[in-house]
Amino acid sequence: MWFIFALISVLAWGTADLFYKKGNQPGDPTSHWKTVIMVGLAMGLHAFYVLATSSEPYHPINIIRYFPVSAMYILSMTIGYAGLRYIELSISSPIQNSSGAVSALLTFLILGQTMTPVQFFAVVLISIGIILLGVFERQLALEERMLNKEKVERKYRIGALALVLPILYAVIDALGTFLDGYMLNTQMTEQQANVSYELTFFICAILAYVYVRFIRKEKLTLRGQADNAAAAVFETLGQFFYVYAMASNAVVVAPLISSYSMVSVVLSRIFLKEKLSAKQYGVIAMIMVGIFILGFE
C-alpha cells in the first residue's frame, strides 16, 4: 500500500503546487505568511477531526517529541513560499525537490534502509528526471518571453538570495524527511506523527495571523485567499498519506514523492494554458517509467 499512498501524495502535492503558483502575488510582502495561515488552518481542522473520531490515544507531549520534524517541514515550506517572490517556480521547484534524493541518501547511509538494484535505478531515473524537467521548463519560459518580447522582472533574475532560498528549502526539507523516517520507524505511529505535525502547523498559523492582522494591520478574507485555501486542502491530503508511505518504505518514498513537480508542471500547462515541449514530455515519460518500476518491484 505504500506505493498507492505515495502516488496520492504526489498527485495531491502536485495539485497544491498549481494553486500555490496561481495564488502567488509578487507584490504582496506577506503572501507567504498568508499561505502559512491557510495551510495551518486546514491542517488544524483535520487534526481536531482525527482526535474527535479516532480511538487511538494521543498525548500532547507528542507535539514536543515530533517538533524537530515539524519545525524542519514548516520552516522549509515557509521559505519555499517566500522564495516564489524572488525566483521562478521553474527554477526553484527542481532545486527544492532534490531534497528527496538527499533524504534518501541519508536514510540509506545512516538508518541502514536498503534498496534493490532495480529500485536504485528507478530512484536515479526519477531524480535525474526532476532536474531535467526544471531545466527544460526554464528554457521554455525564456523562449516564450523572447517570443512575446517580455522583459524579465529584476527580482526574478538569478541572484544570491534567489538561489539561497530554494537551496535552504532542499537542505532543511531533506533533514526533516530523514528525521521523519527515523521517528516513524522507532518513536510513534503514523497517526500520532501526522496529528502532531498538523497541530504544530495550526499553532504557527495562529502566530502568522496575529502578525499579519495586528502587526502588519492587513485584513484577511477567505474569498481573497481562495487559491491558497485550495492549496491548503491538497497539502493536507498529501500530508495524510505521506506519513503512512514514509513509515513503510522511507528510502524509496522520499525521492518518489519528490516527483510531484512533474504533476504541477503538467497541470500548469493544462489550466494556465501553457505548452509542454517534446523534451518535457520525454522527461515526464522517464519519470513515469521510474514510478512504474517502483510500483511493481
Side-chain angles (χ1 to χ4, degrees):
M1 290 297 293
W2 68 265
F3 182 71
I4 301 299
F5 292 156
L7 283 185
I8 293 174
S9 292
V10 167
L11 294 173
W13 281 347
T15 305
D17 231 17
L18 170 68
F19 285 105
Y20 287 139
K21 186 175 182 178
K22 288 182 63 179
N24 178 45
Q25 300 177 19
D28 186 356
T30 61
S31 61
H32 55 299
W33 294 119
K34 293 171 183 174
T35 305
V36 170
I37 293 170
M38 298 310 299
V39 174
L41 177 61
M43 289 194 174
L45 291 174
H46 180 258
F48 292 132
Y49 171 79
V50 171
L51 291 174
T53 58
S54 175
S55 59
E56 181 177 331
Y58 181 83
H59 196 284
I61 193 65
N62 287 326
I63 296 177
I64 299 176
R65 293 173 60 206
Y66 198 69
F67 182 77
V69 180
S70 299
M72 292 292 181
Y73 282 153
I74 296 172
L75 178 60
S76 66
M77 290 173 69
T78 304
I79 290 173
Y81 301 149
L84 290 175
R85 301 204 314 272
Y86 299 100
I87 189 170
E88 293 171 320
L89 186 64
S90 58
I91 302 174
S92 65
S93 182
I95 298 175
Q96 292 177 174
N97 288 333
S98 65
S99 63
V102 175
S103 60
L105 181 62
L106 291 174
T107 304
F108 178 78
L109 294 176
I110 300 176
L111 297 185
Q113 295 191 11
T114 60
M115 289 183 281
T116 67
V118 175
Q119 286 178 325
F120 181 79
F121 171 74
V123 167
V124 170
L125 206 61
I126 291 171
S127 300
I128 293 176
I130 291 170
I131 296 173
L132 289 178
L133 191 63
V135 171
F136 295 151
E137 175 77 359
R138 171 62 176 168
Q139 290 176 351
L140 186 60
L142 290 176
E143 291 172 2
E144 289 175 348
R145 282 199 174 91
M146 292 178 63
L147 183 63
N148 297 326
K149 298 181 179 180
E150 296 179 11
K151 184 179 179 180
V152 180
E153 295 183 42
R154 181 180 179 182
K155 66 182 174 182
Y156 286 129
R157 295 173 187 165
I158 298 294
L161 178 61
L163 289 177
V164 163
L165 292 177
I167 291 173
L168 278 177
Y169 174 99
V171 173
I172 296 171
D173 185 71
L175 291 174
T177 304
F178 164 71
L179 291 174
D180 209 5
Y182 169 75
M183 294 294 291
L184 290 170
N185 279 286
T186 62
Q187 301 295 314
M188 59 180 62
T189 67
E190 294 90 335
Q191 181 172 297
Q192 290 172 338
N194 195 51
V195 169
S196 299
Y197 172 66
E198 291 182 333
L199 290 177
T200 304
F201 217 130
F202 180 67
I203 294 171
C204 290
I206 294 175
L207 296 176
Y209 177 81
V210 171
Y211 172 73
V212 173
R213 182 67 183 90
F214 298 104
I215 297 178
R216 298 300 296 260
K217 300 186 183 304
E218 295 185 31
K219 292 184 178 180
L220 294 175
T221 62
L222 289 177
R223 180 178 298 180
Q225 297 298 316
D227 287 325
N228 280 334
V233 171
F234 284 105
E235 185 74 43
T236 304
L237 176 65
Q239 179 64 31
F240 175 78
F241 287 99
Y242 166 79
V243 292
Y244 288 94
M246 279 291 293
S248 300
N249 202 347
V251 70
V252 174
V253 166
L256 170 58
I257 290 183
S258 292
S259 67
Y260 75 81
S261 60
M262 170 193 68
V263 177
S264 63
V265 169
V266 172
L267 291 179
S268 68
R269 295 303 182 180
I270 294 174
F271 292 102
L272 301 183
K273 307 303 180 183
E274 299 173 347
K275 296 180 180 180
L276 282 171
S277 67
K279 291 185 292 187
Q280 285 176 309
Y281 280 117
V283 171
I284 289 171
M286 184 174 73
I287 294 175
M288 291 300 295
V289 169
I291 294 174
F292 180 83
I293 291 173
L294 290 179
F296 287 90
E297 170 60 15

